[in-house]
Amino acid sequence: MKKTLLSILFCFLFYFNSNSQITLSHNVGDDVIQNNMYGCSWGGINWARTFKLENFNINTNEEFVIKSGKVGLFNSSNWGVYIQFNIYEIDDDFPDSFSENSLIGSSQSVHQFATTDQPHIVNVIFDNEVIVPASVKKILVEVKQLHSTASSAVAFCAGTQNDNDLSWFKSDSGGCPPFQEYKSTTEIGRPNARYYITVNGESKTILPFEIESENNCINSEIDFTLTNQSEIDTVIWNFDDPSSGVNNTSNSIDVVHQFSSPGIYNVTAEVLHTDGTNYTIPKEIEIFDAPIVNPLVQLKQCDNFDINGFSFFNLTEVNEEIITNSSSYTITYFETELQAQENNTPPIANFTAYENQTVSSDTVWARIENTNGCFRTSQIDLIVSTTKIPLTYTKEFYECDDGANTTDGIATFDFSQVTTEIENIFPAGQQLIIKYYQSEAEALAEMNAIPDANISNYQNTASPNQQEIYIRVDSALDNDCLGLGHHITLNVEAQPVANPVTITPECDNDRDGLFAFDTSNIKSTLLGSQTGMTVTYFDENGASLSSPLPNPFYTASQTITARVTNTSSQDSDGQCYAETTFDFVVNAVPIANPIAPLEQCDNDTDGIIAFDTSNIESTILGTQTGMVVKYFDENGTALPSPLPNPFTTASQTITVRIENPIYAVCYEETTVAFIVREKPVVKVFPEDIICMTSSPSKDISVENPNSNYTYTWTDENGTQIGTGETIPVNEGGMYSVIATSQFGCDSDKATITIIESEIATITQNDIEIVDDSDNNSIVINTANLGQGEYQFSLLDENLLTVYDYQNSPVFENLKGGIYTIEIRDKDDCGIAQEEVSVISYPKFITPNNDRINDVWTIKGFNATFYPSSTILIYNRFGKIMAELSAENPTWNGLYKGKPVPSNEYWFTVQLVDRNGNLKTRKGHFSLLRK
């Protein structure tokens, strides 16, 4: 019956008692060891223990609150190992009846990385406690190794040497049995696993009753009651308040008690349950004191402007009169005492401007509540009195708009004199509090009074142009209102506007320091559309000027002050005016001194020169300082100022403007000519020849001479040898010429090389002749011919060309005969000739008068070359057939006038040349007759 009742009342149960710490464990001791239980790659395995709660003195009317768990581990050496405790409700049919839907709660997942392979215990403090309900009899404590992305994330659950119940194992991975079902480690062949798995927490007893109470204030009765009253047989209350006498106890289920003093009381209710069970229900009660207040106060207010007996009250003004340190309390206001006590209707909302509901007087109540919610009430009597300040008392103040912004309608006022005047209205010696306010509402509420220090320096920022000031007079004795009303008006007079005047600066073109300015529009510009204003002028020394100003107005540079005055102004300090200044500016005109053209020769012929500009600006400015110097090219494009130095440009004339730095339109200009002078060009033939004679001479000249140039010639030693377009030279060498233009620009040097040459000089000693051979030849030794370059030609005795001019001094395959050698100078310095003899002997003759080989003669033989000779011809028998000489050099085949027969004939020759050299020759030839 008791168990059934507890189940029925479960929804009404509450915690009453907490037992000491309870640990659920089947292990004997805490020394964990490595067992023979296997692990699984990738994680996803579950180690578990089952626990019957009654075996650990946890009754069915107690909840078990699990706060931590422990598990033994070894070899959990991968970063991917995470574990989690899960608590399930199970029954006696476990594991067949196991369902993950029976999960009661879980711990957070915990990362487990062991730096050692040794078995160790991991203690997991649960972030959120797991509460096992009172109705649960048996639980499964599961330690899950969560799935990992690393195959090496393998962990092993350590055990103890002994235990008193089974260990359970389940895998969530198909390759690691048992898959998705719990089996005991004995069933899978690991009876010695003996997992070290424990949880720790506390049990909490559930009671069927609870004390309820309302209001903990000393000045109120407190209602006490019990829950589940239908199950109560009897009850005895004890309020732990002996000073209350017989009221300290009661037998009523619902009871009212008023405690005798503030403090802490341990209230108990001894309850007999209808099932016969006794319960002691405790509750600690703290009783708080209530505020100590003045139960009745008065608040007097002056009637407002309509004087009808109704006015507005700032109820907070009596807070300190009601209770000391009123800001430490919550004070609200109500129109009836009942409302103030029950606090179940909205309080007065406009408590700083509350209007009395009955003529001349009214009553409201204040509820004063401390931080513990305890309160008392106080009655506030509201009284409306008539002001004692005459309605005829009014003060008007006028001030010109002032401050940084003179058009915002705000000025500075001094109305401090009013205080003395108000004091004089009241009886002498009466203690008064006189305050000034910006509105009637603030004056009635006595809020935001103008500080006393400000009334002599007050600015009407809250009400531009015009502001009403309210005076409130209170008794300094009891704060009763004696006077209130609008008695001061502040008037802000608009300042005139002195519109800005701009006078165009002028240039002192005649440099006398004066200018005649047009003043015709100055006054109308100053006033704009304003009327009723006067305008006066003052020079920069403060001296008055005529108004209007003379036109034209001759003046040097000076600043004029113009004052525009409002003639209708009532400001006691003087009529409102505004001033402005304007400037007559006579600007000096700078002097741009002339500068000579800058000329340079274009030595690199690119048409551009890097000119030195270092003296340009100082030359143009002279002694002037502070001027603005600007440069413009010939197209009017601005150039840098100062000009770059060097300034690289082609020929152009730039404009230089010297400006007054104060007024740029005052300027003078000059020009600077940058002239790039053309570099002369001179050309000569690179080479020429001089023929070295007894008096050699050669004219050398420039090509296409320019009449505007002069020419200077130098030899290879740099010595000047002449001027002019053409000069003579008498020897070879290198000669240079430079052309100079009329602007003094020099050309590059042009050089001509004069090569010496001469007619050849040749003698017989320079000639080597090979004759009387199969290849007769002439070879000329060129070593001694001369300094020219020569060509060689060969003419026969009839001056017919055998070899035309050639560079080779060798002539071959020559017939015998007299030849003329011609040696021609390639540079036309002349032709040298030398006659030579090439000897050859005929091998046969045919004397038949056909003029071909009719005679035997020695070719190349004459008296010139061989002045002495002996030539004999013999027959086969040695008989002399003929004797020849230079005068008779031929034999026609006759002997004593008669032809000799065909046969072989012999000859002997002795030739003596002009140098006495003997040349001998013996031979034979055939005489053939046909």
Side-chain angles (χ1 to χ4, degrees), residues 294-346:
N294 186 347
L296 177 63
V297 295
Q298 281 189 344
L299 180 59
K300 292 183 179 181
Q301 178 65 291
C302 292
D303 205 343
N304 57 1
F305 71 96
D306 54 12
I307 314 178
N308 60 358
F310 291 92
S311 191
F312 294 92
F313 294 82
N314 182 354
L315 303 180
T316 64
E317 292 182 15
V318 293
N319 284 356
E320 281 299 310
E321 189 176 348
I322 293 172
I323 190 168
T324 305
N325 296 325
S326 60
S327 61
S328 301
Y329 300 87
T330 301
I331 302 178
T332 51
Y333 307 92
F334 298 85
E335 292 187 334
T336 69
E337 183 177 17
L338 182 62
Q339 290 175 344
Q341 291 175 345
E342 293 184 350
N343 196 27
N344 55 9
T345 58

Coordinates of all heavy atoms in Angstrom, one line a residue, residues 294-346:
N294 N 6.7 58.9 9.3 CA 5.8 59.9 9.9 C 4.4 59.7 9.3 O 4.2 59.8 8.1 CB 6.3 61.3 9.5 CG 5.6 62.4 10.2 OD1 4.5 62.2 10.7 ND2 6.1 63.6 10.1
P295 N 3.4 59.4 10.1 CA 2.1 58.9 9.5 C 1.3 60.1 8.9 O 0.4 59.8 8.1 CB 1.4 58.3 10.7 CG 2.0 59.0 11.9 CD 3.5 59.3 11.5
L296 N 1.7 61.4 9.2 CA 0.9 62.5 8.6 C 1.8 63.6 8.3 O 2.5 64.1 9.2 CB -0.2 62.9 9.6 CG -1.1 64.1 9.2 CD1 -1.9 63.8 8.0 CD2 -2.0 64.5 10.3
V297 N 1.8 64.1 7.1 CA 2.6 65.3 6.7 C 1.7 66.2 5.9 O 0.6 65.8 5.4 CB 3.8 64.9 5.9 CG1 4.8 64.1 6.7 CG2 3.4 64.1 4.6
Q298 N 2.1 67.5 5.8 CA 1.4 68.5 5.0 C 2.3 69.0 3.8 O 3.5 69.1 4.0 CB 1.0 69.7 5.8 CG -0.2 69.5 6.7 CD -0.7 70.8 7.3 OE1 0.0 71.8 7.4 NE2 -1.9 70.8 7.8
L299 N 1.7 69.3 2.7 CA 2.4 69.9 1.5 C 1.6 71.1 1.0 O 0.4 70.9 0.6 CB 2.6 68.8 0.4 CG 3.3 69.3 -0.8 CD1 4.7 69.8 -0.5 CD2 3.4 68.2 -1.9
K300 N 2.2 72.3 1.1 CA 1.5 73.5 0.7 C 2.0 74.0 -0.6 O 3.2 74.0 -0.8 CB 1.6 74.6 1.8 CG 0.9 74.3 3.1 CD 1.0 75.4 4.1 CE 0.3 75.1 5.4 NZ 0.4 76.2 6.4
Q301 N 1.1 74.4 -1.5 CA 1.5 74.8 -2.8 C 0.7 76.1 -3.1 O -0.4 76.3 -2.7 CB 1.1 73.8 -3.9 CG 1.4 74.1 -5.3 CD 2.9 74.3 -5.6 OE1 3.5 75.2 -5.1 NE2 3.4 73.3 -6.3
C302 N 1.4 77.0 -3.9 CA 0.7 78.2 -4.3 C -0.2 78.0 -5.5 O 0.1 77.1 -6.3 CB 1.8 79.3 -4.7 SG 2.8 79.9 -3.4
D303 N -1.3 78.7 -5.5 CA -2.2 78.6 -6.7 C -1.4 79.1 -7.9 O -0.6 80.0 -7.8 CB -3.4 79.4 -6.4 CG -4.6 78.9 -7.2 OD1 -4.4 78.2 -8.2 OD2 -5.8 79.3 -6.9
N304 N -1.8 78.5 -9.0 CA -1.1 78.9 -10.3 C -1.8 80.1 -10.8 O -2.6 80.7 -10.2 CB -1.0 77.7 -11.2 CG -2.4 77.2 -11.6 OD1 -3.4 77.7 -11.1 ND2 -2.4 76.1 -12.4
F305 N -1.5 80.4 -12.1 CA -1.9 81.6 -12.7 C -3.4 81.9 -12.7 O -3.8 83.1 -12.7 CB -1.4 81.7 -14.2 CG -2.1 80.8 -15.1 CD1 -3.1 81.3 -15.9 CD2 -1.7 79.5 -15.2 CE1 -3.8 80.4 -16.7 CE2 -2.4 78.6 -16.1 CZ -3.4 79.1 -16.8
D306 N -4.3 80.8 -12.7 CA -5.7 81.1 -12.8 C -6.4 81.3 -11.5 O -7.5 81.7 -11.4 CB -6.4 79.9 -13.5 CG -6.1 78.6 -12.9 OD1 -5.5 78.6 -11.8 OD2 -6.4 77.5 -13.5
I307 N -5.7 81.1 -10.4 CA -6.1 81.4 -9.0 C -7.5 80.8 -8.8 O -8.5 81.5 -8.4 CB -6.1 82.9 -8.7 CG1 -4.8 83.5 -9.2 CG2 -6.3 83.2 -7.2 CD1 -4.7 85.0 -8.9
N308 N -7.7 79.5 -9.0 CA -9.0 78.9 -8.9 C -9.0 77.8 -7.8 O -9.9 77.0 -7.7 CB -9.4 78.2 -10.2 CG -8.4 77.1 -10.7 OD1 -7.4 76.9 -10.0 ND2 -8.7 76.5 -11.8
G309 N -8.0 77.8 -7.0 CA -7.9 76.8 -5.9 C -7.4 75.5 -6.2 O -7.3 74.6 -5.4
F310 N -7.0 75.4 -7.5 CA -6.3 74.1 -7.9 C -4.9 74.4 -8.4 O -4.7 75.5 -9.0 CB -7.1 73.5 -9.1 CG -8.5 73.0 -8.7 CD1 -9.6 73.7 -8.8 CD2 -8.6 71.6 -8.2 CE1 -10.9 73.3 -8.4 CE2 -9.8 71.2 -7.9 CZ -11.0 72.0 -8.0
S311 N -4.0 73.5 -8.0 CA -2.6 73.7 -8.4 C -2.0 72.4 -8.6 O -2.6 71.3 -8.4 CB -1.9 74.6 -7.3 OG -0.7 75.0 -7.8
F312 N -0.7 72.4 -8.9 CA 0.0 71.1 -9.1 C 1.1 71.0 -8.1 O 1.8 71.9 -7.8 CB 0.6 71.2 -10.5 CG -0.4 71.2 -11.6 CD1 -0.8 72.4 -12.1 CD2 -0.9 70.0 -12.1 CE1 -1.8 72.4 -13.2 CE2 -1.8 70.0 -13.1 CZ -2.3 71.2 -13.7
F313 N 1.1 69.7 -7.5 CA 2.0 69.4 -6.4 C 3.1 68.4 -6.8 O 2.8 67.5 -7.6 CB 1.3 68.8 -5.2 CG 0.3 69.8 -4.6 CD1 -1.0 70.0 -5.1 CD2 0.6 70.4 -3.4 CE1 -1.9 70.8 -4.5 CE2 -0.3 71.3 -2.8 CZ -1.5 71.5 -3.3
N314 N 4.3 68.6 -6.4 CA 5.4 67.7 -6.5 C 5.4 66.9 -5.2 O 5.9 67.3 -4.2 CB 6.7 68.3 -6.7 CG 7.9 67.3 -6.9 OD1 7.7 66.1 -6.8 ND2 9.0 67.8 -7.3
L315 N 4.8 65.7 -5.2 CA 4.6 64.9 -4.0 C 5.9 64.5 -3.4 O 6.0 64.2 -2.2 CB 3.7 63.7 -4.3 CG 2.3 64.0 -4.9 CD1 1.5 62.7 -5.1 CD2 1.6 65.0 -3.9
T316 N 7.0 64.4 -4.2 CA 8.3 64.0 -3.7 C 8.9 64.9 -2.7 O 9.8 64.6 -2.0 CB 9.3 63.7 -4.8 OG1 9.5 65.0 -5.5 CG2 8.7 62.7 -5.8
E317 N 8.4 66.2 -2.6 CA 8.9 67.2 -1.8 C 8.8 66.8 -0.3 O 9.5 67.3 0.6 CB 8.3 68.5 -2.0 CG 8.7 69.1 -3.4 CD 8.0 70.5 -3.5 OE1 7.6 71.1 -2.5 OE2 8.0 71.0 -4.7
V318 N 7.8 65.9 0.0 CA 7.6 65.5 1.5 C 8.3 64.2 1.8 O 8.1 63.7 2.9 CB 6.2 65.5 1.8 CG1 5.5 66.9 1.7 CG2 5.4 64.5 0.9
N319 N 9.1 63.6 0.8 CA 9.6 62.3 1.1 C 10.5 62.3 2.3 O 10.4 61.4 3.2 CB 10.5 61.8 -0.1 CG 9.6 61.4 -1.3 OD1 8.4 61.3 -1.2 ND2 10.2 61.0 -2.4
E320 N 11.4 63.3 2.5 CA 12.3 63.3 3.6 C 11.5 63.6 4.9 O 12.0 63.2 6.0 CB 13.4 64.3 3.4 CG 14.5 63.8 2.5 CD 15.2 62.6 3.1 OE1 15.6 62.6 4.3 OE2 15.4 61.6 2.3
E321 N 10.4 64.3 4.8 CA 9.6 64.5 6.0 C 8.9 63.3 6.4 O 8.7 63.0 7.6 CB 8.6 65.6 5.7 CG 7.8 66.1 6.9 CD 6.9 67.3 6.6 OE1 7.0 67.8 5.5 OE2 6.1 67.6 7.5
I322 N 8.6 62.4 5.4 CA 7.9 61.1 5.8 C 8.9 60.1 6.4 O 8.6 59.5 7.4 CB 7.3 60.5 4.5 CG1 6.1 61.3 4.0 CG2 6.8 59.1 4.7 CD1 5.5 60.9 2.7
I323 N 10.1 60.0 5.8 CA 11.1 59.1 6.3 C 12.5 59.6 6.0 O 12.7 60.2 4.9 CB 10.9 57.7 5.7 CG1 11.7 56.6 6.4 CG2 11.1 57.7 4.2 CD1 11.4 55.2 6.0
T324 N 13.4 59.4 6.9 CA 14.8 59.7 6.7 C 15.4 58.8 5.6 O 15.1 57.6 5.5 CB 15.6 59.7 8.0 OG1 14.9 60.5 9.0 CG2 17.0 60.2 7.8
N325 N 16.4 59.4 4.8 CA 17.0 58.6 3.8 C 16.0 58.0 2.8 O 16.0 56.8 2.5 CB 17.9 57.5 4.3 CG 19.1 58.1 5.1 OD1 19.6 59.1 4.8 ND2 19.4 57.4 6.2
S326 N 15.1 58.9 2.4 CA 14.0 58.4 1.6 C 14.4 57.7 0.3 O 13.7 56.9 -0.3 CB 13.0 59.6 1.2 OG 13.7 60.6 0.5
S327 N 15.6 58.1 -0.2 CA 16.1 57.5 -1.5 C 16.4 56.0 -1.3 O 16.5 55.3 -2.3 CB 17.3 58.2 -2.0 OG 18.4 58.1 -1.0
S328 N 16.5 55.5 -0.1 CA 16.7 54.0 0.1 C 15.4 53.2 0.1 O 15.5 52.0 0.2 CB 17.4 53.8 1.5 OG 18.6 54.6 1.6
Y329 N 14.3 53.9 -0.1 CA 13.0 53.2 -0.1 C 12.3 53.4 -1.5 O 12.6 54.4 -2.2 CB 12.2 53.7 1.0 CG 12.8 53.5 2.4 CD1 13.6 54.4 2.9 CD2 12.5 52.3 3.1 CE1 14.2 54.2 4.2 CE2 13.1 52.1 4.4 CZ 13.9 53.0 4.9 OH 14.5 52.8 6.1
T330 N 11.4 52.5 -1.7 CA 10.5 52.7 -2.9 C 9.2 53.4 -2.4 O 8.5 52.8 -1.6 CB 10.2 51.3 -3.5 OG1 11.4 50.7 -4.0 CG2 9.3 51.5 -4.7
I331 N 9.0 54.6 -2.9 CA 7.8 55.4 -2.4 C 6.9 55.6 -3.6 O 7.3 56.1 -4.6 CB 8.3 56.7 -1.8 CG1 9.3 56.5 -0.6 CG2 7.1 57.5 -1.3 CD1 9.8 57.8 0.0
T332 N 5.7 55.1 -3.4 CA 4.7 55.4 -4.4 C 3.5 56.1 -3.8 O 3.3 56.1 -2.5 CB 4.2 54.0 -5.1 OG1 3.9 53.1 -4.0 CG2 5.3 53.4 -5.9
Y333 N 2.6 56.7 -4.6 CA 1.5 57.5 -4.1 C 0.2 57.1 -4.6 O 0.1 56.7 -5.8 CB 1.8 59.0 -4.5 CG 3.2 59.5 -4.1 CD1 4.2 59.4 -5.1 CD2 3.5 60.0 -2.9 CE1 5.5 59.8 -4.7 CE2 4.7 60.4 -2.5 CZ 5.8 60.3 -3.5 OH 7.0 60.7 -3.1
F334 N -0.8 57.1 -3.7 CA -2.1 56.6 -4.1 C -3.2 57.7 -3.6 O -2.9 58.4 -2.7 CB -2.4 55.3 -3.5 CG -1.5 54.2 -3.9 CD1 -0.2 54.0 -3.3 CD2 -1.8 53.4 -5.0 CE1 0.6 53.0 -3.8 CE2 -1.0 52.4 -5.4 CZ 0.3 52.2 -4.8
E335 N -4.3 57.6 -4.2 CA -5.4 58.6 -3.9 C -6.2 58.1 -2.6 O -6.9 58.9 -2.0 CB -6.3 58.8 -5.1 CG -5.6 59.6 -6.2 CD -6.5 60.0 -7.3 OE1 -7.5 59.3 -7.5 OE2 -6.2 61.0 -8.0
T336 N -6.1 56.8 -2.3 CA -6.8 56.3 -1.1 C -5.8 55.5 -0.2 O -4.8 55.0 -0.7 CB -8.0 55.5 -1.4 OG1 -7.6 54.3 -2.0 CG2 -9.0 56.2 -2.4
E337 N -6.2 55.4 1.1 CA -5.3 54.6 1.9 C -5.3 53.2 1.6 O -4.3 52.5 1.6 CB -5.7 54.8 3.4 CG -4.8 54.1 4.4 CD -5.2 54.4 5.8 OE1 -6.4 54.9 6.1 OE2 -4.4 54.2 6.7
L338 N -6.5 52.6 1.2 CA -6.7 51.2 0.9 C -5.8 50.9 -0.3 O -5.2 49.8 -0.4 CB -8.2 50.9 0.6 CG -8.5 49.4 0.3 CD1 -8.1 48.5 1.4 CD2 -9.9 49.3 -0.1
Q339 N -5.8 51.8 -1.3 CA -5.0 51.5 -2.5 C -3.5 51.4 -2.1 O -2.8 50.6 -2.6 CB -5.2 52.6 -3.5 CG -6.5 52.6 -4.2 CD -6.7 53.8 -5.1 OE1 -6.0 54.8 -5.0 NE2 -7.8 53.7 -6.0
A340 N -3.1 52.3 -1.2 CA -1.7 52.3 -0.7 C -1.4 51.0 0.0 O -0.2 50.5 -0.1 CB -1.4 53.5 0.1
Q341 N -2.3 50.5 0.8 CA -2.0 49.3 1.5 C -2.1 48.0 0.6 O -1.2 47.1 0.8 CB -3.1 49.1 2.7 CG -2.9 50.2 3.8 CD -4.0 50.1 4.8 OE1 -5.0 49.4 4.6 NE2 -3.7 50.7 5.9
E342 N -3.1 47.9 -0.2 CA -3.2 46.7 -1.1 C -2.2 46.7 -2.3 O -1.9 45.7 -2.8 CB -4.6 46.6 -1.5 CG -5.6 46.3 -0.4 CD -7.0 46.1 -0.8 OE1 -7.3 46.3 -2.1 OE2 -7.8 45.7 0.0
N343 N -1.9 47.9 -2.8 CA -0.9 48.0 -3.9 C -1.4 47.2 -5.1 O -0.5 46.6 -5.8 CB 0.5 47.6 -3.4 CG 1.5 48.0 -4.4 OD1 1.4 49.0 -5.1 ND2 2.7 47.3 -4.4
N344 N -2.7 47.1 -5.3 CA -3.1 46.3 -6.5 C -3.8 47.2 -7.5 O -4.4 46.7 -8.4 CB -4.1 45.2 -6.0 CG -5.3 45.8 -5.2 OD1 -5.5 47.0 -5.1 ND2 -6.1 44.9 -4.6
T345 N -3.7 48.5 -7.3 CA -4.1 49.4 -8.4 C -2.9 50.3 -8.8 O -2.0 50.5 -7.9 CB -5.2 50.3 -7.9 OG1 -4.8 51.0 -6.7 CG2 -6.5 49.5 -7.6
P346 N -2.9 50.8 -10.0 CA -1.7 51.7 -10.4 C -1.6 52.9 -9.5 O -2.5 53.5 -9.1 CB -2.0 52.1 -11.8 CG -3.0 51.0 -12.3 CD -3.8 50.6 -11.1

